[in-house]
Amino acid sequence: MEIDKPKVSIVIPVYNSASTIRRALQSVADQTFKNFETIIVDNNCTDASITIARTFQDDINLRIVDCKEQGIVPALNAGLSASRGDLIARQDADDYWYPTKLEKQVKFLESNPDVDVLGTQIRLLDENGVYQPRGTYDNPVIYPTDDSTIKTFLMLGQNPLCHPSVMFRKSVFLIVGGYTRLFHLAEDLHYWCRALPHCNFA
């Protein structure tokens, strides 16, 4: 079912993710919150990723956007530019969500109009689906939750937000602009640092 003006635009860059994308999109289809569009950015896939995505057409209000320039940054920018929702939700093609993820984030942002960027806690799984309680540098994967601490992390050069968990207001994109390639593998950290003077985080 197509929604004329979705509340949320889910942006998913995709490059040869046939082994994981079905699980990711099923988790989108299973969301309790339904007022969304799903923007798949086809970043020159040569496998069955897009064919698999199309099987979810009727379940996730699917739109497919082509991005011929290779890389996560141009793919993200293509997805953001195509988005119609007032809220942007990020997902990667190898991640998947709890069913109430969108519902909880939308409710939080509606109840906290001063918050612009909202992350979540996450669970890391290995390639066999086994839970991994520790992440980078063998540290526990626990993210800060308040604006002040999140901004302190950012100013110290640490990323306190898991990118594919984030929901943010479209106004952030309109103020900050698109992602840039200045920091390899840290385009999200750089994006939040640029948003820091203008936005509140949770």
Side-chain angles (χ1 to χ4, degrees), residues 77-97:
N77 289 336
L80 288 176
S81 297
S83 64
R84 299 179 297 171
D86 294 327
L87 300 173
I88 308 294
R90 276 279 292 111
Q91 194 196 49
D92 287 331
D94 59 349
D95 294 301
Y96 57 107
W97 292 340

Side-chain angles (χ1 to χ4, degrees), residues 144-155 158 160-161 201-202:
T145 59
D146 64 282
D147 180 64
S148 177
T149 307
I150 290 171
K151 286 179 175 175
T152 299
F153 271 61
L154 290 172
M155 288 186 286
Q158 300 179 45
L161 298 164
F201 297 79

Side-chain angles (χ1 to χ4, degrees), residues 1 26 28-30 34 36 55-62:
M1 179 181 69
Q26 186 61 57
V28 174
D30 290 341
K34 298 296 185 182
F36 63 80
T55 66
F56 289 87
Q57 178 73 52
D58 296 333
D59 301 316
I60 61 172
N61 193 19
L62 179 66

Side-chain angles (χ1 to χ4, degrees), residues 114-183:
D114 59 318
V115 173
D116 306 288
V117 181
L118 178 63
T120 74
Q121 302 298 339
I122 65 169
R123 291 170 64 88
L124 292 176
L125 306 178
D126 67 14
E127 62 274 12
N128 298 313
V130 177
Y131 172 55
Q132 303 296 304
R134 295 184 175 271
T136 307
Y137 308 119
D138 200 37
N139 291 323
V141 185
I142 303 173
Y143 289 111
T145 59
D146 64 282
D147 180 64
S148 177
T149 307
I150 290 171
K151 286 179 175 175
T152 299
F153 271 61
L154 290 172
M155 288 186 286
L156 292 173
Q158 300 179 45
N159 196 344
L161 298 164
C162 177
H163 202 193
S165 83
V166 167
M167 180 180 287
F168 60 96
R169 300 187 193 277
K170 181 75 172 283
S171 58
V172 176
F173 173 57
L174 298 177
I175 293 169
V176 177
Y179 292 80
T180 68
R181 295 179 185 266
L182 289 179
F183 296 95

